[in-house]
Each structure stands twice: as C-alpha cells, then as structure tokens.
Amino acid sequence: MKVGHDHFRSIWVESGEVRIIDQTQLPHKLVIKSLETLDEAAAAIRDMWVRGAPLIGATAAYGVAIAMRSDPSDVGLNRARDVLTATRPTAVNLRWALQEMVPQLATFEPPDRYERAMKRAGEISEQDVATNSAIGDHGLELIRALAERKPGPVNILTHCNAGWLATVDWGTATAPIYKAHHAGIPVHVWIDETRPRNQGAHLTAWEMASHGIPHALIVDNAGGHLMQHGEVDLVITGTDRTTATGDVCNKIGTYLKALAAHDNGVPFYVALPSPTIDWQARDGVSEIPIENRSGDEVSFVQGKFADGSVGQLRISPENTPTHNPAFDVTPARLVTGLITERGIASASAEGLAALFPEMAAS
Amino acid sequence: MKVGHDHFRSIWVESGEVRIIDQTQLPHKLVIKSLETLDEAAAAIRDMWVRGAPLIGATAAYGVAIAMRSDPSDVGLNRARDVLTATRPTAVNLRWALQEMVPQLATFEPPDRYERAMKRAGEISEQDVATNSAIGDHGLELIRALAERKPGPVNILTHCNAGWLATVDWGTATAPIYKAHHAGIPVHVWIDETRPRNQGAHLTAWEMASHGIPHALIVDNAGGHLMQHGEVDLVITGTDRTTATGDVCNKIGTYLKALAAHDNGVPFYVALPSPTIDWQARDGVSEIPIENRSGDEVSFVQGKFADGSVGQLRISPENTPTHNPAFDVTPARLVTGLITERGIASASAEGLAALFPEMAAS
C-alpha cells in the first residue's frame, strides 16, 4: 500500500536485491534493508525486522533463494533450510514456505537453483497478495452495506496489526478497509494500541497515516465504551489460527473486544487466508496452546525519546512479577463471520465446510 | 498499609506538618512532601501528587486547615475554598470536603479556626479509614469463602488503583485483599496495568510489593484469557460513581473485564464507600458523562529510563490522532455485588435500598 506517494510492499525485489522494511524501527523511522546473505535473511526473521505469518513465509522463501546465489549445492540447500527453520521455531508459515521451496529445488541441478528459487519465492509472494486482495473484495461488501445504512464514515475497530506490514500487501483485516477507501466509501479506523508489543500504535497507526485513511489510536481499554455509545459499526481482526469450528486464536485481547461487540450488537468479523485454518482443531480454548512470552514485554514499553532516539523505559517497579500470555481464543459464538479469500463463512464447522469442502471432508 | 517495615498512610500529620507521598514519582521513587502553604496543598491536588477521590477530599480538608494557620480571617477562609475548588473542578469529594470544612469554620472566631480545622480534617481522614476498613471486613468474607472451596491461593484480578494510595488507608478494592492477607488467607493479585495512565503498573504493583502480597502485573488485554482458563477466582474493582440502580462508572476498561467475568462465571465485585453512590442516577450508560482526557496520555507512556531518571516516550507516530475516554460504565447486570461499608448489596435498586434505606427513600 502507499507510504505517501509511493506504493510499497513489505518485501520486494529491486535491482536484483531482496529488500524489506526493518519494522522494528517503525513508526519512528522507515529503514529499508537489502538482504544479501542467508544470515541476513535469517536475522530479518529472528530479530523481527519482518513479522506476520505471511511475510515470514515470503521472507523465508526469498532467504532460500538468496542462499542459492552463493552456494546452490545440496549442502547449501540443506543449510538454508536448517538456518531458516531455527529462526522462529513455532512459525507455521515459515515451515510451510520452506516445504514449498526446498524439496522442489532439490530436483533441479545446482546451477539452475537460484533462478528457480527466486521465481518460486515471487510466486509465493504474489499468491499472498492475491489471497489478501480477495479477502479485501469480500470484506468491502460488508463495509459498503454498512455505509448504505448510515450517514458519515463507517467506524471500524481493529486490534493488533493484521495489515500489509504483516503480509506482502493489503493485509488481512486491513484489506477490506483499503478496498473501501479506494472505492470512495468513507471509513474511520479505531486502532487498539495492542499492549504489550503495541503493534497497533506502532504499525497499524503508521499504515493508516501512510495511506491517508482517517483513524484514531485508542488504548485497549476503550473499545467497549465506544461500542456502548454507537461509535463502532464493525470490528475486523486477523487471526493466527482458526479451528475447523470457527474459534479464533488471535493477539491477546481480541476476546475482550468480541465480548463487547456481542454485548452491543456490533458485527465482529475475522479476516483470514484459509491456510491459517487448523482443520484438526475443534475446541480452541482447550486445544490451542498459548505462548507465554517474556515478562519484559509487560514491564518495558518501546518508543521514541524526546531526542529522537528509539528505546525503552520501565513502567513497573523493579522486580515486579509479570505474566504475559501472547494470544487468546475467541469462541465461534462471538464471531459474526470469517472473511476468507473464497468469501464470508459463518464461524462454524458448517460455514467453513461449505466454502472449503475439500479440506473439511478429511 | 506497609512500605517495607513501616506503616504508611497516604496523608498524615507529623511534627505539626501535613505530609503526603508525591504519587507522580511512584513506583520509581518514594518522595514525601510537607504541605506548608495553601498553594502547596492546591498544587498537591492539581498536579496529582495525590489522587483518588477520598484522598483528594482529605487533602482539601487539610488544605483549608493549612490556610487557617497563616490567614484565619473570613477572607482567608473564602480564598482557601476558592483556590482548592479550582484545582480539580469535577472532583465530587473535593467539593464535599470543602462543604464539610468551610461553613462550620466560619461559625468560629478566627483565632480558633486553625485548631478546629486540623481536628475536623483529622476526623474526615479517620472516617475514610474506618469506612474502608469496614469494606475490607465485608469483602474478606467473600475471599474466605472462596479459599475454603479450593486449594492454593485465591486469585483476585483488579483494575486501576483503588488502593490505599487512593484513599487515606486500606483502599477500597484492595481493603478485602489486605484483610485476607492479614487473616492468613493466601491471595494472589492479577494487576491490570490500566492504560493509559498505568495506575496498576505504577501504584497497585508498588502497593502489593510494598506490603508483601503476591501479585503479577498483566496487560489490560490478558484478563479474559486468564478467566477462560480458571486463573481468576474473583474480580474486585473500585468505582468513581455508582448509580442508585447499581451501574458502575469506573476507570476505562472495567466494563471489558466485567464482560469476561460474566462470560466465565467469575464473580465480579465492586468496592465502594456509600458517598460514591449517585442516588439520582438510574441509567449509567446514558446519564453519566464520560470525561475525554488529553490524547497525550495515549501517545506517551511514563516510566523510568535506563539511567534511573523518570520521564516519557512516544509510542505512536507523530501527529497520530487519538481518542481518550477516561471511564466507562459497567451495567449492573454484569456486577455480582457491591461491597459497601454496611455490607454487600446486590447491584440493583432493591439491593442498595435495603442497605441504605434513608438514602433510597428520597
């Protein structure tokens, strides 16, 4: 999407180089980095210069390609797989992308591997863009219908960053918003700051400002009050993992917004590419393990100091114990619908099976 | 309550001086200030060295007394009232305390006013301590009953700071917790950080650590997940204003926790001194105006830098629009009970009227 007058993706090839945005510097600095070696690609994932499942997958795919430029041997190919796998051991999309790349490349002669790998990584990236664009088209119709029922902008609340920075382009939760904006439908986005890592304040706020979409940043505590007073017409979030029954595992705090939406009759939609559906899982709360992350994410907050430098400060007393679950599960009963690349499904086994019969049949 | 081995109150008289804790420096520094002039007392309230309705009231009462030491004339008395009223124009307890002090003092001869004022301010403070202690005694029985039903500590979640730092001693939401701890009942407190001003991270975490009560700091997003997994036995919050029907206006985000408690069968109690009941209000969501505070509270976070100094950093892009409602209303249907100094009432007109017939009759 746009950053001022320029169209950006979160990963792209320019002058033969793979380039990314160092997202750890956002929103305070737009730093573009070229990934020239396997180690740089691994660092980009491990140190979270890139984040978001689809973008991690695309970066891993390009990482394999970059490795093939300097060492296209079988040893080099296996080393690329091992180094990249180790960067984020639990990232499902990372493993998926490596599985898409490595076995197929092994069937080609080493001199052909770099070119083949770049082509395949490009295809993976384009596929992500097409998927998110389709999600946007389906979600757009929801926003259009809301716009026809009331004057003024459609107020959309979102949590965390399921934006283009988390994918290759469009984003998932943000794709319908961008599409509505492009269609001339007035939208206004309430952005949850999304503690502890503040992806809303850091990334979604920057995306919306960069693309020129009206928005306001709110604390995570505010959404319920806004819904009580008719200030939210629609909630759209992303998801890390969705059960075959429509339970949604997403960034911590999503469940609280879903409860408030339900209590106030506000439609609550989740945007997702179908690969994030876990067709084996039936009960999100009991079956999906929730990662507990470092308590430093709770005790410290990152931002920009008065002198312009970026760093952290401590908000709590020294040695305060913390607990930091990173995700929560929103039961399907609180989800109005799931916006997928094939259309909108009810959040239920039946709804998902109707759109993806070939997956649900297993 | 305790700070290490010493027993503290939030305001006290020592060597003839009125002393307070400068709460803007907590949790990073314990700074005690003597209030020696009317202007210092006014600054203490206006600049939020003290906060919390009961403590603001007590500080205003002592502020009048301090003013009487240097100018006990009628002019001096009226000036004290005017200067203190202007510090926090919307604080109900501030006006109440001044009404308790000024008209009565005016009936005494100027030479007697300082002594009378100090005595009356002391009575107001002691009354607050007694009220909160009684709230604690009633709430203790809830915690005792929960402790008898399960092994291990009773896990209590609280939002914001309704602790001794917000009152003269004991606190409101924290009084049952302190009483349970003193009674040897094992408790563990989940502390919401309470964005945007982080009173949980700054003040409640410091209170619990200072008194030696087991606790953990969590982000405001985490409570729903904890309740889904049986990690919360009881929620207790404070309230700024409670309707005659039991709707609770409290720090923004309280409503979201009440929804999660309701969804998971977790008891949700609100602790309150009866003067915070607004006997005229019947519908909190429609009748209670919600203060929208400066957006800088959303954009900036306060804490301690690596060099030990206390300051702020910016979390959002420059010029990001913000919206900052400071309170929300939790409908009575989500509140299990109201813990008052006279006992526990159901959150309903009938429940409150049964405990306070003389107030409800009007």
Side-chain angles (χ1 to χ4, degrees):
Chain A
M1 311 313 301
K2 282 188 191 169
V3 179
H5 293 292
D6 299 321
H7 188 108
F8 267 77
R9 286 184 172 183
S10 63
I11 189 165
W12 69 98
V13 179
E14 188 177 332
S15 309
E17 287 184 339
V18 177
R19 293 188 179 165
I20 57 148
I21 297 168
D22 177 358
Q23 298 190 21
T24 64
Q25 301 295 309
L26 290 176
H28 308 296
K29 292 177 192 160
L30 177 59
V31 176
I32 294 166
K33 289 193 173 167
S34 291
L35 304 180
E36 298 181 8
T37 66
L38 170 61
D39 287 346
E40 284 179 350
I45 299 171
R46 187 183 54 239
D47 299 340
M48 299 183 77
W49 305 347
V50 297
R51 22 68 59 195
L55 176 54
I56 287 172
T59 307
Y62 277 116
V64 173
I66 291 164
M68 292 303 92
R69 190 163 52 189
S70 59
D71 180 3
S73 68
D74 286 356
V75 170
L77 185 58
N78 288 334
R79 178 160 178 273
R81 184 194 58 212
D82 294 346
V83 167
L84 290 164
T85 299
T87 54
R88 296 283 299 270
T90 64
V92 173
N93 257 57
L94 174 68
R95 290 165 179 279
W96 170 83
L98 294 172
Q99 190 60 30
E100 286 288 305
M101 297 291 294
V102 175
Q104 192 185 27
L105 285 177
T107 67
F108 292 101
E109 292 302 314
D112 297 334
R113 286 177 181 171
Y114 170 65
E115 193 181 336
R116 289 278 177 180
M118 285 296 287
K119 180 165 177 290
R120 183 75 191 110
E123 289 166 358
I124 286 172
S125 295
E126 291 301 333
Q127 183 57 49
D128 181 63
V129 176
T131 295
N132 297 328
S133 178
I135 287 171
D137 291 334
H138 296 300
L140 163 63
E141 297 311 317
L142 288 175
I143 298 174
R144 192 191 304 279
L146 287 166
E148 286 168 358
R149 277 167 29 196
K150 58 165 274 194
V154 177
N155 287 296
I156 302 166
L157 185 144
T158 192
H159 191 70
C160 198
N161 176 260
W164 67 265
L165 289 168
T167 65
V168 178
D169 208 353
W170 290 111
T172 55
T174 56
I177 296 168
Y178 288 119
K179 294 265 182 176
H181 181 71
H182 296 174
I185 300 170
V187 292
H188 173 265
V189 183
W190 297 114
I191 302 173
D192 277 357
E193 65 171 338
T194 320
R195 282 280 287 147
R197 293 179 62 86
N198 280 350
Q199 293 94 334
H202 293 171
L203 303 177
T204 307
W206 182 83
E207 278 196 26
M208 294 295 124
S210 298
H211 202 80
I213 294 179
H215 63 284
L217 179 66
I218 54 176
V219 296
D220 300 309
N221 285 321
H225 168 74
L226 295 176
M227 292 185 211
Q228 281 180 319
H229 290 270
E231 308 261 18
V232 181
D233 300 304
L234 174 65
V235 181
I236 311 180
T237 75
T239 168
D240 271 54
R241 193 165 160 189
T242 306
T243 67
T245 56
D247 294 342
V248 171
C249 180
N250 190 43
K251 190 58 37 76
I252 190 82
T254 302
Y255 167 52
L256 295 172
K257 293 300 139 60
L259 285 167
H262 187 76
D263 199 47
N264 292 284
V266 174
F268 184 95
Y269 282 87
V270 177
L272 63 148
S274 62
T276 67
I277 301 170
D278 180 342
W279 293 98
Q280 265 59 57
R282 312 290 302 179
D283 181 337
V285 173
S286 69
E287 292 177 33
I288 298 180
I290 301 296
E291 175 188 7
N292 287 313
R293 293 178 56 88
S294 164
D296 281 355
E297 292 184 353
V298 178
S299 302
F300 292 87
V301 173
Q302 177 168 313
K304 188 165 78 167
F305 299 119
D307 69 1
S309 64
V310 173
Q312 291 190 325
L313 52 65
R314 164 180 278 281
I315 60 165
S316 57
E318 301 281 347
N319 304 318
T320 294
T322 55
H323 183 50
N324 187 22
F327 302 91
D328 64 21
V329 172
T330 299
R333 65 185 152 84
L334 301 175
V335 179
T336 311
L338 304 170
I339 311 171
T340 77
E341 71 272 24
R342 287 196 195 167
I344 298 177
S346 69
S348 65
E350 299 70 28
L352 283 171
L355 277 189
F356 300 94
E358 77 282 14
M359 299 303 296
S362 62
Chain B
M1 310 313 298
K2 283 189 192 168
V3 179
H5 293 293
D6 300 321
H7 187 108
F8 267 76
R9 285 184 173 183
S10 63
I11 189 165
W12 69 98
V13 180
E14 187 177 333
S15 310
E17 286 182 341
V18 177
R19 293 188 178 164
I20 57 148
I21 297 168
D22 177 358
Q23 298 190 21
T24 64
Q25 300 295 308
L26 291 176
H28 308 295
K29 292 177 191 161
L30 177 60
V31 176
I32 293 166
K33 289 193 174 166
S34 291
L35 304 180
E36 297 180 8
T37 66
L38 171 62
D39 286 348
E40 284 179 351
I45 299 171
R46 186 183 54 239
D47 298 341
M48 299 184 79
W49 306 346
V50 296
R51 21 69 60 197
L55 176 54
I56 287 171
T59 306
Y62 276 116
V64 173
I66 292 163
M68 292 302 92
R69 190 163 50 186
S70 58
D71 180 1
S73 69
D74 286 357
V75 170
L77 186 58
N78 288 334
R79 178 161 178 274
R81 184 195 57 212
D82 294 347
V83 167
L84 291 163
T85 300
T87 54
R88 295 282 299 269
T90 63
V92 173
N93 258 56
L94 174 68
R95 291 166 179 279
W96 170 83
L98 293 173
Q99 191 59 31
E100 286 288 305
M101 297 291 294
V102 175
Q104 192 184 28
L105 285 177
T107 67
F108 293 100
E109 291 302 315
D112 297 334
R113 285 177 181 170
Y114 170 64
E115 194 180 335
R116 289 278 177 179
M118 285 296 287
K119 181 166 176 292
R120 184 73 191 113
E123 289 166 357
I124 286 172
S125 295
E126 291 301 333
Q127 183 57 49
D128 181 64
V129 176
T131 295
N132 298 328
S133 178
I135 288 170
D137 291 335
H138 297 299
L140 163 63
E141 297 311 316
L142 289 175
I143 298 173
R144 193 192 303 279
L146 287 166
E148 286 168 358
R149 277 166 30 197
K150 59 165 275 194
V154 177
N155 287 296
I156 302 166
L157 185 145
T158 192
H159 191 71
C160 199
N161 176 261
W164 68 265
L165 289 168
T167 66
V168 178
D169 207 352
W170 289 111
T172 54
T174 55
I177 296 168
Y178 287 120
K179 295 266 181 177
H181 181 70
H182 295 175
I185 300 170
V187 292
H188 174 266
V189 183
W190 296 115
I191 303 173
D192 277 357
E193 66 171 338
T194 320
R195 281 280 288 148
R197 294 179 61 86
N198 280 351
Q199 294 94 335
H202 293 171
L203 303 177
T204 307
W206 183 83
E207 277 196 26
M208 294 295 124
S210 298
H211 202 80
I213 294 180
H215 63 284
L217 179 66
I218 54 176
V219 295
D220 300 309
N221 285 321
H225 168 74
L226 295 177
M227 293 186 211
Q228 281 180 319
H229 290 271
E231 308 262 18
V232 181
D233 299 305
L234 174 66
V235 181
I236 311 180
T237 75
T239 168
D240 271 54
R241 193 165 160 188
T242 307
T243 67
T245 55
D247 293 343
V248 171
C249 181
N250 191 44
K251 191 59 37 75
I252 191 81
T254 303
Y255 167 53
L256 294 172
K257 293 299 138 60
L259 285 166
H262 186 75
D263 199 47
N264 291 285
V266 174
F268 184 95
Y269 282 87
V270 177
L272 63 147
S274 61
T276 67
I277 301 169
D278 180 341
W279 293 99
Q280 266 59 57
R282 312 291 302 179
D283 181 336
V285 173
S286 69
E287 292 177 32
I288 298 179
I290 300 296
E291 176 187 6
N292 287 313
R293 293 177 57 87
S294 164
D296 282 354
E297 293 184 352
V298 178
S299 301
F300 292 87
V301 173
Q302 178 168 312
K304 188 166 78 168
F305 298 119
D307 69 1
S309 65
V310 174
Q312 292 190 325
L313 52 64
R314 166 179 275 281
I315 60 165
S316 57
E318 302 281 348
N319 305 318
T320 294
T322 56
H323 184 49
N324 186 22
F327 302 91
D328 64 21
V329 172
T330 299
R333 66 186 152 83
L334 302 175
V335 179
T336 310
L338 303 170
I339 311 172
T340 78
E341 70 272 25
R342 288 197 194 166
I344 298 176
S346 69
S348 66
E350 299 70 29
L352 283 170
L355 277 189
F356 300 94
E358 78 283 14
M359 299 303 296
S362 61

